Amino acid sequence: MWLNRSDKEFSMRVLDEIYSLLKEYKYCRDQADFSRIFLGRSNGYYAYIKSSKAPICLLSLSFLATAIHSIASEVDDAREFVKAQRLRSAWVSALVMREGEREIAFVDPKHWATASGTIPALTWPPRA
């Protein structure tokens, strides 16, 4: 799924779900930790993009995808299957958001491939 400018609310919702997931698994304590550790920005960055509805920086989305991939690769699938699946889903979501932002930034609008629909749930069990 590629995102366009009208999908900012959707991408923010996905980012909120990723934040909640990482907080639930205690990879970050609060929004400041999430901003610094996972988005590679100052403590207030996540709060800023939430309140201002500013576009998410491509570099921050790259940091996020890389960090989640690193965490997910360390999870033991045999003992923590659900956690591993949820983290992989968050990683894919971060990649999709990054590619959508890259498409918006660098691809002529006539070549944008946009679609809408649901993404795999970050919660378990998946919602219908």
Side-chain angles (χ1 to χ4, degrees):
M1 166 187 295
W2 301 108
L3 304 174
N4 61 36
R5 289 285 181 207
S6 64
D7 291 325
K8 287 297 170 194
E9 184 178 308
F10 173 78
S11 61
M12 207 55 230
R13 200 169 5 142
V14 172
L15 193 62
D16 289 341
E17 286 187 36
I18 291 172
Y19 165 69
S20 296
L21 178 73
L22 294 170
K23 188 174 177 187
E24 176 185 336
Y25 287 126
K26 307 211 182 324
Y27 289 110
C28 60
R29 290 185 318 252
D30 53 24
Q31 290 183 5
D33 269 0
F34 181 67
S35 295
R36 199 175 53 259
I37 297 167
F38 290 95
L39 300 178
R41 299 292 177 166
S42 67
N43 289 345
Y45 181 69
Y46 180 55
Y48 163 73
I49 60 175
K50 282 180 67 157
S51 65
S52 69
K53 300 189 186 326
I56 304 164
C57 172
L58 274 171
L59 184 59
S60 292
L61 289 172
S62 293
F63 267 72
L64 180 64
T66 302
I68 295 172
H69 184 261
S70 177
I71 290 169
S73 65
E74 295 175 5
V75 175
D76 182 358
D77 285 357
R79 292 186 328 185
E80 300 177 289
F81 179 76
V82 172
K83 180 179 180 180
Q85 292 297 91
R86 292 177 74 198
L87 286 168
R88 284 191 190 105
S89 180
W91 172 57
V92 169
S93 296
L95 289 174
V96 168
M97 288 191 324
R98 183 190 70 194
E99 292 308 309
E101 287 297 325
R102 181 176 293 151
E103 181 177 89
I104 290 166
F106 300 114
V107 177
D108 188 311
K110 68 182 177 189
H111 298 294
W112 288 355
T114 58
S116 61
T118 59
I119 60 166
L122 299 179
T123 54
W124 192 261
R127 294 178 279 221

